[in-house]
Amino acid sequence: MNISIITVGKLKEKYLKQGIDEYLKRLSAYAKMDIIEVPDEKAPEELSDIEMIQVKQKEGERILAKIHPDAHVIALAIEGKMKSSEELADTIDKLATYGKSKIAFVIGGSLGLSQEVLQRSDEKLSFSKMTFPHQLMKLVLLEQVYRSFRINRGEPYHK
């Protein structure tokens, strides 16, 4: 499997980078992983609704340019469907079984994802109704993808 995680913004926090690197190393036994960071759009703290849409659209264009045409796209979105670890593992397993070897997970910037990115997505996934920093979500997502492969292979993993 080829799994891409497309995110907005550069990872700066050393502790998150260490965790991400650890899960990328673990995942290398199961899939080809690719982390793609697109630049975030510079914007002032106070934005009008129109300015927010414009920022998301510019970031969205950068995201869409990085999505492989054959990829099954899973957008992380607060309004998405919540799944258990087993359900995510089942989703990944079914995609592999039915020949969808390219998966792209998309994590938006601080304002979220553009409508265009959400429309391109094959499904929307929510980890919680809470809001998390998008850089932290990269680590959480990698952990859950790793857990999914362990579940699918019947390998032990703490519950």
Side-chain angles (χ1 to χ4, degrees):
M1 288 210 88
N2 294 292
I3 299 176
S4 299
I5 298 176
I6 304 168
T7 66
V8 173
K10 284 265 183 228
L11 184 60
K12 297 173 190 89
E13 295 83 357
K14 187 177 179 183
Y15 70 97
L16 289 176
K17 182 136 184 48
Q18 289 172 330
I20 287 167
D21 288 345
E22 176 63 26
Y23 279 105
L24 287 172
K25 186 174 83 179
R26 292 181 187 191
L27 278 160
S28 67
Y30 302 100
K32 181 183 178 301
M33 298 296 301
D34 195 16
I35 303 280
I36 302 166
E37 296 175 332
V38 301
D40 54 349
E41 187 65 23
K42 302 295 178 233
E45 282 293 315
E46 296 294 319
L47 294 172
S48 69
D49 289 346
I50 290 171
E51 289 170 322
M52 278 192 222
I53 290 169
Q54 290 171 336
V55 167
K56 288 196 288 187
Q57 283 178 329
K58 287 177 183 170
E59 291 174 348
E61 288 168 8
R62 293 177 191 136
I63 290 167
L64 290 168
K66 299 295 183 182
I67 296 174
H68 191 281
D70 296 338
H72 180 88
V73 179
I74 301 173
L76 272 61
I78 203 162
E79 69 275 8
K81 182 177 190 279
M82 284 194 236
K83 294 184 178 191
S84 67
S85 295
E86 292 79 10
E87 288 170 326
L88 180 60
D90 188 53
T91 297
I92 291 171
D93 189 50
K94 282 182 177 155
L95 288 170
T97 301
Y98 296 107
K100 280 285 191 179
S101 63
K102 292 180 180 70
I103 301 174
F105 288 95
V106 179
I107 303 172
S110 57
L111 298 176
L113 293 166
S114 69
Q115 278 306 117
E116 293 80 6
V117 172
L118 293 172
Q119 287 168 354
R120 168 60 181 91
S121 301
D122 296 291
E123 59 184 292
K124 295 171 198 68
L125 177 65
S126 174
F127 278 74
S128 172
K129 293 285 182 209
M130 292 185 226
T131 302
F132 293 101
H134 56 281
Q135 301 296 6
L136 177 60
M137 281 314 301
K138 195 184 307 184
L139 176 59
V140 173
L141 174 61
L142 280 168
E143 189 281 333
Q144 284 298 304
V145 171
Y146 174 68
R147 185 181 294 260
S148 293
F149 280 106
R150 301 283 295 187
I151 289 168
N152 288 339
R153 300 253 175 113
E155 296 170 351
Y157 201 87
H158 54 80
K159 295 184 180 196

